[in-house]
Amino acid sequence: MWKMLYDQLKSPERYEDYREATIQAIDFSKSWDIESNIPMETWWNDIDADGSISEKMISGNKTEKQKIPDWLKLPSGKTWETRLFGSPLLRYAIHIPGFYSDKPEFFATDMETKHIFYGQLRNTEILIVSFMDKATGGDMKKWVEIIMATTGFPVLELSGKDENTQPHLQEWIYEGSLPELAVRLELDEAHAYSGFAIMPPTNQNESALGARIYILLARRDSFA
């Protein structure tokens, strides 16, 4: 679709959209082991003839950032007022911003149990903790990538029901496998994603808002 739009109007903006969409498609193909089913060489030659974005690709066999991102580091300066919240059921304890809900909303399925905290701006301030006790085998990254592929947005709780309510993802980066963080937290593996989206207004009196998105995947034994 992006290629078709670019062919119709060869503008720099549409070419950049086409490049980003193709990079994401290549990224997914590597994660799902379907590279042989797509014209990989043709795509790369089309969007990266000079090799300028190859080093920026963060996926499968491409370069991964191994340093811990700033948002996962311990704060060094003044921070928001927070309170400690823990759950023996979901096996976590984290500091929640003071302006978030005192208690989380609770959801449970056969596969996972989930806590959701909301801030003052419900559609842009949200903290989700999801827990599974039978996370054995497979690629953890697919938990995020399948949602991206099916809804077009990495957070299912924030994805829209139609074009008018769908957030517009402006940036999406796989931060890497983060072995240093895994060692610090005594995990078997850890992965991180970050991005930026424009969230649509919830009513006609509001304006669209920008929102940063951060996802951490963590597993110890069969707990994730």
Side-chain angles (χ1 to χ4, degrees), residues 8 17 28 51 74 90 94 96 101 106 108 141 143 147-148 150 157 173 179 207 209 220:
Q8 292 174 351
D17 288 341
F28 288 158
L74 296 174
L90 273 66
I94 55 176
I96 309 293
S101 49
F106 177 85
K141 300 191 298 296
W143 299 346
I147 294 175
M148 277 284 291
T150 55
E157 288 78 6
I173 299 172
S207 299
L209 295 173
R220 181 188 298 157

Side-chain angles (χ1 to χ4, degrees), residues 83-87 90 92-107 114-130 155 157-158:
R83 67 183 183 280
L84 183 63
F85 187 94
S87 170
L90 273 66
Y92 77 90
I94 55 176
H95 287 271
I96 309 293
F99 53 88
Y100 273 52
S101 49
D102 291 334
K103 294 182 179 180
E105 295 185 5
F106 177 85
F107 300 90
K114 189 176 296 186
H115 280 176
I116 302 181
F117 299 85
Y118 289 98
Q120 295 172 343
L121 301 174
R122 191 177 177 91
N123 68 328
T124 60
E125 295 175 343
I126 181 173
L127 172 64
I128 302 172
V129 180
S130 180
V155 183
E157 288 78 6
L158 294 177

Side-chain angles (χ1 to χ4, degrees), residues 135-137 140 177-191 217-224:
T136 56
M140 290 183 70
S177 58
L178 309 180
E180 183 181 342
L181 180 68
V183 170
R184 192 183 86 191
L185 299 179
E186 299 181 352
L187 302 170
D188 292 317
E189 64 176 311
H191 303 270
L217 303 177
R219 181 183 64 80
R220 181 188 298 157
D221 295 327
S222 64
F223 300 137

Side-chain angles (χ1 to χ4, degrees), residues 49-67:
D50 60 357
S52 62
I53 62 175
S54 294
E55 289 302 317
K56 297 180 181 179
M57 270 292 292
I58 307 170
S59 66
N61 296 326
K62 295 291 180 178
T63 302
E64 294 183 354
K65 294 191 292 185
Q66 296 298 322
K67 293 183 178 179

